[in-house]
Amino acid sequence: MTNISGKAYPSERILSLRRKTVSAERYLSLEQAGIITRVYRQKSDLPVILKRAYSLSASLDEISITIDPQELIAGNRTVGIRAGVVFPEAGISWLEREIETLPSRPQDPFHVRPEDISFFRDHIAPFWRGKTLEDDIYGAAGEEISAIETVVKINQKDHAQGHICPDVKSWLIHGPSALAANALSLSGSSSGEKKLFFEAAGMVLAAACRFMERYSGLAARLAGDEPDEKLRGNLMQVSANCHNLSTGPPSTFREAVQSVWFLFVILQMESNASSFSPGRMDQYLIDFYRKDVAAGILDNEIALELMDALFIKFNQIVYMRNGKSARYFAGFPTGFNITVGGTGKNGEDASNELSYLILKAQEDIRLPQPNLTARLHRNSPDEFTDECSRIIGLGTGMPQVVNDESIIPAMRHAGIHDEDSFDYSLVGCVELSTSGNYLGWSDAAMFNLVKALELALNNGKCMLTGKQAGPNTGYLSGFPDYRSLEEAYRKQISHFVSKMTEVCTVVEKCHREHLPSPFLSSVVNHCLRNGTDVTAGGAKYNYSGIQAIQAANIADSLAVLKKLVFGDGLVGKAELLGALRNNFRDNEPLRQMCINRVPKYGNDVEWVDRIGAEWIEYFSEQLKRHRNFRGGPYQMGLYTVSAHVPMGQYVGATPDGRLACTPLADGGLSPMYGRDKEGPTSVLASVSRIPSRLAGNGSLLNMKFLPSMFSNETDRSKFTSFLKTLVKMPVHHIQFNVVSAEELKRAKADPEAYRGLTIRVAGYTAYFTELDSDLQDEIIQRTTQGENG
Amino acid sequence: MAETKGTIFRIRRFSIHDGPGIRTSVFLKGCPLRCSWCHSPEGIDAQISVWHTPGLCISCKRCLTACHNEALKMSSGSVLIDRAKCTLTGGCTEVCPAGAMQFTGRTITAQEVFREVRKDIAFYGTSGGGLTLTGGEPLFQPEFSLEILELCRKAGIHTAIETSLFADLDVAEKISSAAELIIADLKIFDPQEHETYTGQSNEKITGNFLFLAETGKALTVRIPLIPGITDTAENINAISAFAGSAGRNIPVELIEYNPLAANNYRRLGIPFQPDRVFNKDNL
Ligand code: SF4
Ligand code: SF4
């Protein structure tokens, strides 16, 4: 479809911009933190939503800006590329502890200028101490959070939750100036909280226009000083584009791309959060593209260069996390997820020229962001599926592939209307969302079902510390039969689910009180219609997502108990319990029996897979018994990002033969590494037994293939067939790593030589050499499916 | 239908290099040839025996205790099997916690094989794949092979056999007619050389091949590239010319030697001497 012949891609300009982006050193930037602090000081008696609006407006008016004369698409939230930004109103305690060690921490370090340390310690921290979102959450629920922390990790405690696919379509149709006028007129005709909301929205949208105008002015000034004619011409174009966008909606493809980027920059300037996602870009940009092509002012070459430029931009904003969180979400999964392909309203194929150009941009840029997702379905054209295979074969782990045939029914099951479910896209890593009207709160918490099982075997006591963590439900040694064990496990799960939802309610309430987000709300339906901030439930859909972790270890462990202990009786109850408490010390034969004597999830052994399915289902039912703070349902996700490593550190030895504190199975639905021996079709068969339809929040399956799978047309076509079969199975998602273990070992030993090497870590792509050493080891260990044989 | 049983040493799903599309390969045990380079030695003997995988062994010695024939002894972290004493009771495989002591194959009914093969039927449909019987030598267990092929064919699964074609003509004919594709491993063209390296002359093979070629059956030729033996230009050209002489367009594929073969010899306790294998002056 897209035929770009005869030219070398990417262009020199793109290569140069890419180089500059990748080689930029990351610094902590406190500029916006300073502005926010000043505004909150000056306006201390205003309602929070106005303080937030004034802070964002002041930031849009004052933050230092720059433009690289080569840039086709301008804009960033800091002068430095990939700077680490702090929003003090959300929480500062971690930075108070870690600011000095930011440069030396093992995962995702940042440089810190000495003057910033004193600015932070003298001016920022003292003002905010005790007043932040985090302070309130811990004040209200600190004890409850630590009481459940062995099993439940509550997220979003010290930052905005992000994770939204805004309504980019209407942003492009109206532009911020019209949206601002609308909000201001609504504020005139309303009262109370709604009036405040409209006032705040109008204020920040107007500031957004001024922000674009500042870029226009800067570009014009730079053009004046630019000796190179071509660069001057480009700067003048940037200036004109930014000016047009500050006064109205985009009228060309290039303006539309610039407009999309401004939207995401400003969202970051309001929230500083991960996983604001552009969604179905091929759908909302296609009209601009076709109009310009018809007018003769755009061809695929120019369009691709603009896509390339936008792709690079998505790598210039990173989300700085605290040291612990950086281990859970390693390598800056900023989570700008772009979705291509998929169905239209009536189930017809919706892929178009831009779907292919966006895939091509992935081939050109090959950086961690954006996170690229391809939607496949029954009627996906072979050409599209094969182009996905080709791009996957490049080995960047993208696009990840999702299955409309499995996901759309899951969304309907979760209560999404038909007019929205077909238009779903992915947010962040693999979180599911409709387009522009959905607050999924998709990372509310991670629920460690494996830890809950440990407690169920040990009367609620943690095997690592001996502390009582859950209710007293008896010891394995005392259970007369498997059913008593199941009973104990059910009690542990429902206990922690109840406690968890209580804490989640507090967290969401505090977000509403501290982080109302009028700019975000103006691009999430129906906040502007009903005058309600998105944090207060203004979106059409209001979910909260809880991740169930981890199907593989649950299925494998319970299968061992069912067969070896309660079935064959080959292993005694007390013997196994003792061995688990002792981390199988001096009992390697028993551990080997646990591993080898009972089949494992991922090998298409139905009875084992069904155990996993049963407990996933039970967990999902427990969630359904609760409602979130915004009145919406909880729903389950089956993904961990990279959290299976730190999550595993809290879990003692498990009956599946896993040693204490070692990683759990990765991804979400992946088998335990090294335990799937029958190849990728068996893995899919096992995975399809886990009820993904209950995973309205998304699920994740990692698969690794060797580069040889893609080295010639014949083999690649087999991979394409593999994808075509996927859409016949109830599996939501697969992401493919194409890399050899040998190569990764080399990369670990010689990071300098592999700086550009990217790898998928669960739901996203990161620079391999930037990952923590134990995470690197873990990735090297994972099964290599293509090697089956 | 009588439950036809056979002996296999492996079933491999997602097999992508044994015929078109995504396939399931079933490896039948037992082979009438004795190729000096054989890269799946566990497939040669029709008899199931036990073998040991040192990499998995945790030296717990449970197998030693379990063996009432004193056929096992421990030697520097791995277990040696005295095959003269072993009566294949399987006691060692039952107690080994690590899966390091195992039978080299298993007896299985054609129905059971079919049920395994059927599992990936969705993948065969999209990829044009199916079942491949390989080995060992599928023609060596004709009844068993035939029944598997027929069960698959009835279920609409594409069928292929990979074979040396060393069999009596009626066997070759019968089984070949039940499969949709024959992948013929032709190793050495010169009959004398063939006997030297495989223990048998290739007259039956070439005869069967020409017969099948004439029936119009879909055929592919594979030549395993064994350094110094089969990979000479002379041999490759001769086999290609032979395939061409059938007057049809029969594709010829060259297959690299499997570098992991040495590992399987170690597990079986059979001496593996690549020098001996690859250099015929030492024979
Ligand atoms: S199969 Fe029986 S006889 Fe042979 S080594 Fe094992 S235990 Fe001993
Ligand atoms: S029982 Fe298995 S693991 Fe133990 S020594 Fe024998 S072969 Fe090795």
Side-chain angles (χ1 to χ4, degrees):
Chain A
M1 183 163 286
T2 313
N3 188 9
I4 306 165
S5 49
K7 270 217 78 174
Y9 278 87
S11 67
E12 266 312 310
R13 178 212 306 269
I14 292 299
L15 286 174
S16 155
L17 289 168
R18 184 186 187 278
R19 226 170 8 247
K20 283 182 247 183
T21 298
V22 175
S23 59
E25 299 276 353
R26 290 191 303 268
Y27 277 87
L28 171 70
S29 166
L30 295 176
E31 189 181 7
Q32 199 179 348
I35 295 171
I36 295 168
T37 307
R38 187 196 74 218
V39 170
Y40 269 67
R41 241 189 209 126
Q42 288 167 351
K43 314 231 177 244
S44 57
D45 39 5
L46 286 183
V48 176
I49 192 163
L50 289 185
K51 281 195 261 197
R52 290 267 292 164
Y54 277 111
S55 301
L56 176 57
S57 301
S59 303
L60 290 166
D61 287 336
E62 297 170 29
I63 206 92
S64 314
I65 60 173
T66 133
I67 302 174
D68 185 307
Q70 287 188 305
E71 282 187 318
L72 299 169
I73 304 300
N76 201 341
R77 62 166 174 173
T78 49
V79 168
I81 290 174
R82 305 216 287 161
V85 164
V86 185
F87 273 35
E89 67 270 50
I92 47 158
S93 68
W94 79 266
L95 199 60
E96 289 205 74
R97 288 189 302 271
E98 297 180 24
I99 189 166
E100 280 86 3
T101 54
L102 266 181
S104 58
R105 66 185 193 178
Q107 188 65 60
D108 303 344
F110 285 80
H111 294 293
V112 181
R113 297 178 188 87
E115 64 270 27
D116 278 341
I117 296 185
S118 46
F119 179 64
F120 177 75
R121 293 224 176 274
D122 301 344
H123 294 275
I124 294 185
F127 175 78
W128 289 102
R129 223 169 274 140
K131 296 193 191 107
T132 66
L133 167 79
E134 182 189 18
D135 295 319
D136 265 12
I137 290 175
Y138 278 98
E143 275 173 31
E144 290 80 356
I145 290 172
S146 41
I148 58 173
E149 71 187 356
T150 51
V151 172
V152 180
K153 181 176 181 285
I154 299 283
N155 293 325
Q156 326 300 355
K157 299 190 295 289
D158 62 359
H159 52 83
Q161 72 86 40
H163 290 91
I164 280 187
C165 175
D167 185 3
V168 187
K169 204 195 246 167
S170 73
W171 168 262
L172 291 175
I173 290 172
H174 304 293
S177 52
L179 290 172
N182 180 37
L184 287 175
S185 87
L186 287 166
S187 103
S189 60
S190 49
S191 60
E193 288 220 2
K194 288 192 198 291
K195 187 180 179 63
L196 283 178
F197 169 75
F198 287 126
E199 193 184 320
M203 187 194 309
V204 293
L205 287 161
C209 297
R210 296 196 299 275
F211 184 59
M212 297 174 192
E213 194 54 44
R214 287 178 66 208
Y215 272 95
S216 174
L218 176 63
R221 279 199 303 284
L222 291 172
D225 301 337
E226 179 58 59
D228 182 285
E229 195 183 322
K230 264 184 139 170
L231 295 177
R232 190 163 62 242
N234 179 55
L235 284 164
M236 285 164 64
Q237 188 62 55
V238 169
S239 174
N241 291 346
C242 294
H243 174 71
N244 291 345
L245 293 175
S246 79
T247 54
S251 55
T252 64
F253 181 71
R254 179 164 172 181
E255 283 180 10
V257 174
Q258 175 70 65
S259 175
V260 170
W261 178 239
F262 270 135
L263 171 61
F264 284 90
V265 170
I266 299 168
L267 285 172
Q268 286 294 345
M269 290 178 74
E270 180 178 62
S271 288
N272 184 39
S274 87
S275 303
F276 286 117
S277 290
R280 302 188 81 184
M281 192 177 270
D282 57 347
Q283 304 302 307
Y284 57 70
L285 285 182
I286 189 66
D287 290 347
F288 291 97
Y289 167 86
R290 288 186 180 147
K291 195 174 112 232
D292 284 9
V293 170
I297 56 169
L298 185 72
D299 59 20
N300 277 341
E301 203 177 290
I302 303 171
L304 177 59
E305 199 178 24
L306 284 165
M307 268 309 138
D308 286 351
L310 180 63
F311 267 49
I312 291 172
K313 273 297 182 187
F314 281 118
N315 290 283
Q316 295 189 349
I317 290 182
V318 297
Y319 175 62
M320 180 173 71
R321 296 164 186 274
N322 67 45
K324 192 169 167 194
S325 174
R327 287 177 51 83
Y328 277 75
F329 303 98
F332 305 110
T334 317
F336 295 116
N337 204 321
I338 293 176
T339 303
V340 294
T343 51
K345 225 184 250 104
N346 304 310
E348 78 283 9
D349 178 59
S351 66
N352 59 37
E353 303 91 303
L354 278 179
S355 322
Y356 292 84
L357 276 185
I358 291 170
L359 286 170
K360 182 80 174 79
Q362 175 59 29
E363 178 176 23
D364 283 357
I365 303 304
R366 305 189 199 194
L367 289 177
Q369 296 293 321
N371 203 349
L372 186 59
T373 303
R375 279 176 53 175
L376 296 183
H377 57 97
R378 224 178 293 138
N379 302 317
S380 291
D382 286 359
E383 189 189 5
F384 181 71
T385 313
D386 197 51
E387 181 65 357
C388 291
S389 300
R390 192 180 71 81
I391 303 298
I392 289 168
L394 301 174
T396 60
M398 289 195 265
Q400 57 181 345
V401 169
V402 291
N403 177 7
D404 285 6
E405 310 296 342
S406 167
I407 288 177
I408 293 174
M411 296 197 82
R412 291 203 186 117
H413 178 92
I416 306 292
H417 306 167
D418 288 0
E419 77 262 21
D420 294 310
S421 59
F422 85 91
D423 209 16
Y424 81 89
S425 65
L426 269 70
V427 156
C429 302
V430 297
E431 298 86 313
L432 300 175
S433 172
T434 56
S435 295
N437 55 17
Y438 189 100
L439 172 50
W441 210 285
S442 42
D443 282 305
M446 297 200 185
F447 194 103
N448 196 334
L449 283 166
V450 192
K451 184 71 187 183
L453 178 61
E454 173 188 323
L455 300 180
L457 297 174
N458 200 35
N459 195 29
K461 279 203 197 75
C462 170
M463 286 194 195
L464 297 173
T465 61
K467 269 205 261 179
Q468 192 70 39
N472 302 91
T473 51
Y475 293 96
L476 168 61
S477 41
F479 297 140
D481 48 26
Y482 184 71
R483 286 174 61 177
S484 326
L485 162 63
E486 289 181 305
E487 194 46 44
Y489 193 22
R490 275 196 284 271
K491 281 186 190 145
Q492 294 291 344
I493 292 175
S494 74
H495 166 82
F496 282 99
V497 167
S498 296
K499 297 278 170 205
M500 171 183 72
T501 54
E502 285 165 24
V503 175
C504 286
T505 301
V506 172
V507 170
E508 288 207 22
K509 183 163 172 285
C510 292
H511 273 255
R512 176 187 177 164
E513 282 161 10
H514 286 264
L515 300 176
S517 307
F519 181 77
L520 171 62
S521 300
S522 64
V523 286
V524 174
N525 295 316
H526 302 299
C527 298
L528 271 189
R529 191 191 292 174
N530 51 32
T532 308
D533 192 86
V534 68
T535 58
K540 180 173 178 185
Y541 298 108
N542 283 288
Y543 290 91
S544 290
I546 310 290
Q547 277 52 269
I549 294 165
Q550 198 79 302
N553 302 97
I554 295 302
D556 292 351
S557 293
L558 286 166
V560 166
L561 288 158
K562 197 169 191 172
K563 183 158 192 299
L564 285 188
V565 179
F566 292 103
D568 307 346
L570 279 177
V571 176
K573 292 180 271 191
E575 184 192 2
L576 182 61
L577 183 59
L580 295 177
R581 286 180 183 151
N582 273 320
N583 194 21
F584 291 107
R585 201 177 315 119
D586 303 325
N587 207 346
E588 183 62 14
L590 177 56
R591 192 174 87 87
Q592 289 295 330
M593 276 180 81
C594 292
I595 296 174
N596 297 298
R597 279 296 152 127
V598 184
K600 297 284 179 279
Y601 169 76
N603 296 289
D604 194 5
V605 178
E606 190 164 347
W607 74 270
V608 176
D609 303 341
R610 294 267 174 240
I611 295 177
E614 222 172 276
W615 288 98
I616 289 302
E617 197 155 342
Y618 178 75
F619 179 71
S620 147
E621 275 160 21
Q622 292 307 299
L623 289 183
K624 283 185 187 151
R625 296 172 47 213
H626 303 269
R627 304 294 285 185
N628 69 19
F629 171 70
R630 284 161 291 129
Y634 284 91
Q635 61 179 351
M636 179 179 62
L638 295 167
Y639 62 89
T640 45
V641 193
S642 54
H644 58 292
V645 178
M647 279 277 175
Q649 284 172 352
Y650 293 112
V651 185
T654 37
D656 57 354
R658 179 193 139 277
L659 290 170
C661 307
T662 59
L664 304 175
D666 74 83
L669 286 175
S670 311
M672 185 67 174
Y673 39 87
R675 306 276 164 85
D676 56 316
K677 304 226 168 90
E678 302 293 328
T681 58
S682 306
V683 170
L684 278 195
S686 285
V687 171
S688 64
R689 293 198 179 102
I690 306 291
S692 283
R693 69 174 194 287
L694 303 176
N697 198 41
S699 72
L700 192 160
L701 170 63
N702 278 316
M703 282 194 160
K704 203 187 279 184
F705 283 85
L706 286 181
S708 61
M709 185 84 226
F710 305 90
S711 60
N712 62 60
E713 295 265 329
T714 315
D715 287 1
R716 197 177 88 207
S717 76
K718 295 187 185 190
F719 183 79
T720 303
S721 309
F722 186 78
L723 294 182
K724 283 170 35 190
T725 318
L726 166 71
V727 302
K728 300 180 173 175
M729 307 180 94
V731 174
H732 282 357
H733 163 280
I734 308 184
Q735 63 164 47
F736 298 98
N737 269 310
V738 182
V739 79
S740 70
E742 281 317 305
E743 192 177 4
L744 294 178
K745 283 183 207 151
R746 284 198 296 278
K748 193 186 175 198
D750 186 10
E752 272 301 300
Y754 284 89
R755 276 217 77 110
L757 173 69
T758 57
I759 175 95
R760 289 291 272 195
V761 184
Y764 58 88
T765 299
Y767 292 106
F768 181 75
T769 55
E770 288 187 3
L771 299 175
D772 221 346
S773 141
D774 56 353
L775 194 51
Q776 287 182 331
D777 287 341
E778 198 270 321
I779 291 169
I780 292 171
Q781 263 197 22
R782 278 188 216 157
T783 320
T784 302
Q785 263 112 2
E787 271 172 7
N788 183 42
Chain B
M1 185 187 295
E3 288 277 275
T4 311
K5 282 189 180 166
T7 313
I8 62 169
F9 61 98
R10 187 169 182 196
I11 294 179
R12 181 172 67 196
R13 293 166 67 174
F14 198 70
S15 200
I16 55 171
H17 295 121
D18 289 325
I22 295 169
R23 313 190 71 81
T24 295
S25 296
V26 179
F27 293 77
L28 278 69
K29 208 160 146 47
C31 181
L33 301 184
R34 290 293 177 270
C35 305
S36 62
W37 61 81
C38 180
H39 50 210
S40 38
E42 70 275 31
I44 299 174
D45 192 347
Q47 273 287 312
I48 294 171
S49 58
V50 291
W51 68 344
H52 175 71
T53 312
L56 300 177
C57 178
I58 56 166
S59 306
C60 69
K61 299 190 179 157
R62 291 185 179 190
C63 54
L64 273 59
T65 322
C67 181
H68 301 310
N69 294 331
E70 295 181 353
L72 302 176
K73 70 168 192 269
M74 209 70 208
S75 151
S76 59
S78 87
V79 178
L80 298 182
I81 308 166
D82 184 340
R83 300 206 177 263
K85 290 186 185 161
C86 171
T87 56
L88 301 174
T89 61
C92 55
T93 66
E94 271 161 41
V95 297
C96 176
M101 196 60 87
Q102 278 176 322
F103 282 118
T104 53
R106 58 187 157 128
T107 308
I108 188 170
T109 67
Q111 271 290 347
E112 286 168 324
V113 171
F114 168 66
R115 279 201 288 275
E116 272 304 298
V117 173
R118 197 175 49 186
K119 286 180 174 170
D120 280 344
I121 198 159
F123 293 91
Y124 311 147
T126 49
S127 69
L131 158 82
T132 299
L133 290 184
T134 176
E137 172 52 65
L139 300 188
F140 206 56
Q141 298 184 56
E143 307 292 311
F144 181 56
S145 290
L146 204 59
E147 190 170 330
I148 299 171
L149 290 169
E150 265 161 16
L151 286 167
C152 288
R153 204 169 41 99
K154 276 191 207 134
I157 296 171
H158 180 267
T159 50
I161 56 173
E162 188 190 11
T163 168
S164 71
L165 287 180
F166 185 85
D168 292 339
L169 178 62
D170 59 327
V171 170
E173 185 189 349
K174 206 160 147 196
I175 294 180
S176 303
S177 64
E180 290 162 77
L181 168 70
I182 314 296
I183 302 167
D185 282 325
L186 301 186
K187 303 157 194 346
I188 300 173
F189 189 69
D190 180 86
Q192 211 60 56
E193 294 257 301
H194 195 278
E195 189 163 350
T196 310
Y197 284 104
T198 72
Q200 300 284 351
S201 159
N202 63 0
E203 272 162 35
K204 278 187 181 176
I205 294 174
T206 46
N208 285 338
F209 183 85
L210 288 175
F211 172 82
L212 291 174
E214 225 155 81
T215 62
K217 174 78 46 205
L219 272 165
T220 296
V221 168
R222 281 188 165 181
I223 309 175
L225 296 180
I226 310 304
I229 305 178
T230 67
D231 75 343
T232 62
E234 192 190 342
N235 185 50
I236 293 171
N237 291 338
I239 294 176
S240 307
F242 170 67
S245 74
R248 293 169 44 198
N249 214 354
I250 296 172
V252 177
E253 294 174 1
L254 304 179
I255 306 298
E256 296 290 337
Y257 187 73
N258 173 6
L260 302 175
N263 188 51
N264 288 345
Y265 281 88
R266 261 198 308 279
R267 290 169 71 190
L268 278 171
I270 299 175
F272 177 68
Q273 296 157 309
D275 291 350
R276 193 185 77 101
V277 172
F278 295 142
N279 188 343
K280 67 176 176 176
D281 296 342
N282 291 351
L283 272 175

